Amino acid sequence: MVEKSFPLKIGLEIHGYLNTKEKLFCKCKAISEKDEKPNTRICPICTGQPGSKPMLPNKEAMKKLIQISLILGCRVNHDKRLVWQRKHYSWPDIPKGYQNTISGAYSTPCSEDGKFHGIKITETHLEEDPARWNPDTGKIDYNRSGLPLIEIVTEPDFRSADNVIEWLKNLVIALSYIKAIKKSAGIKVDVNVSTYGERVEIKNINSLDKIKRAIEYEIKRQLENYRNKIEQKRETLTYDESKGKTIKMREKEGAEDYRFIPEPDLPVVKIDEKEVSKLKQNLPETPDEKLNKLLTKYKIDKANAEILTKNLELVDFFEALAKQVDAKKYISWVTIELLRILNYNKKTLEEVNINPEHLAELIKAIDKKEITELKAKQIMNEFIPNSFSIKQKSDISKISDSSEIENFCKDAIKKNPKAAEDFKAGKQESLNFLIGEVMKLSSRRADYQTTKNCLLKFLK
Ligand SMILES: [Zn+2]
């Protein structure tokens, strides 16, 4: 049977924790400690105790939301009255019975009508996070209750799971450039998928892999239902990773089910237009702008430029290095060597203290043929966790004196007679082995070409 083709439409609602020091309506810390205990960052406000009223909303949260809106090309609604709403629902994670949000059918969103990498942005919302409820034990942890969340709603412009994943990757990189979202917390995504019938919503997926699998499964499921003449109603699903399936949670509720009412304890928000233009002027370069600069100003090839732009710290490091050395010529010292030592030590550039000046010193020493590349790589291994000036190191200079190298070569041949014989019998790899032995004996300081020539002379 030939499948009738449907206009596949996918839209996203992306939730991320805004990078603030305090919670949205109280002074409790927003930043979690490693191994923190439950309910250690709480107060009467963020636990929703009777009689407690919210403080004025955290200004930093609104500032971050505006920055994100600008990156997404949205119009910031500075000329409109933004009203905090109570979104009611009964669930153990929200003891006051409602969530405060600037969203819902009767509300003007903080920003709207954007476009990012070809996908239209409908609007953005600001809201508070509920607590964490464990359905197995019934225990509730309020540490995350009241954290500021942004919700980014897209139009159903995506046409495939791959399209979604590629776009989300670009979004995450762009947001990391303005440091507006908490890196450690990641993002959570609700995905809307429609094929032949009403759209369904898959709730709360927290990794790119899962998002891809959930969308692909859901498309397949809907098309099978179509063939079986099952009507597709509007509904809410969850993705069960272990089964690899989407599972029905409930028939979709309409906006009226949340009984939105304006929050009487919070003032109407007016965004200052001057503040918006100031934030716009001071936005850092976007990943696309950085990429363009690497290609045109620094003349870096595309593959390396793309490696650099994926990580703001790395591209900043490169630009600092480029002020001191011919960074194009020595690009591999960033995109290969620096990443090698970071990966080996399972660290990110943020977690260590590597000064671009120290790498520049090393590169200059190679350039002037004062040290060998091998020695430089060995020194770089010691740059974690803290880099240092090579002026502090003695005995690192390159050995070019041929009589000194001859002695190392004689030693290497004497200690490895079999390798020497093998080479004479035609085994080329044995030469590399012997060069390696000379490097070890000279603590990686012997000049490569002189060593090779000298070994060839002795092995004739
Ligand atoms: Zn609190």
Side-chain angles (χ1 to χ4, degrees), residues 89-106:
Y89 67 92
S90 297
W91 205 247
D93 64 5
I94 195 111
K96 60 184 180 181
Y98 57 85
Q99 182 186 21
N100 279 120
T101 172
I102 307 182
S103 73
Y106 316 108

Side-chain angles (χ1 to χ4, degrees), residues 23 26 28 42-43 46:
K23 291 184 180 180
C26 63
C28 291
I42 57 169
C43 72
C46 56

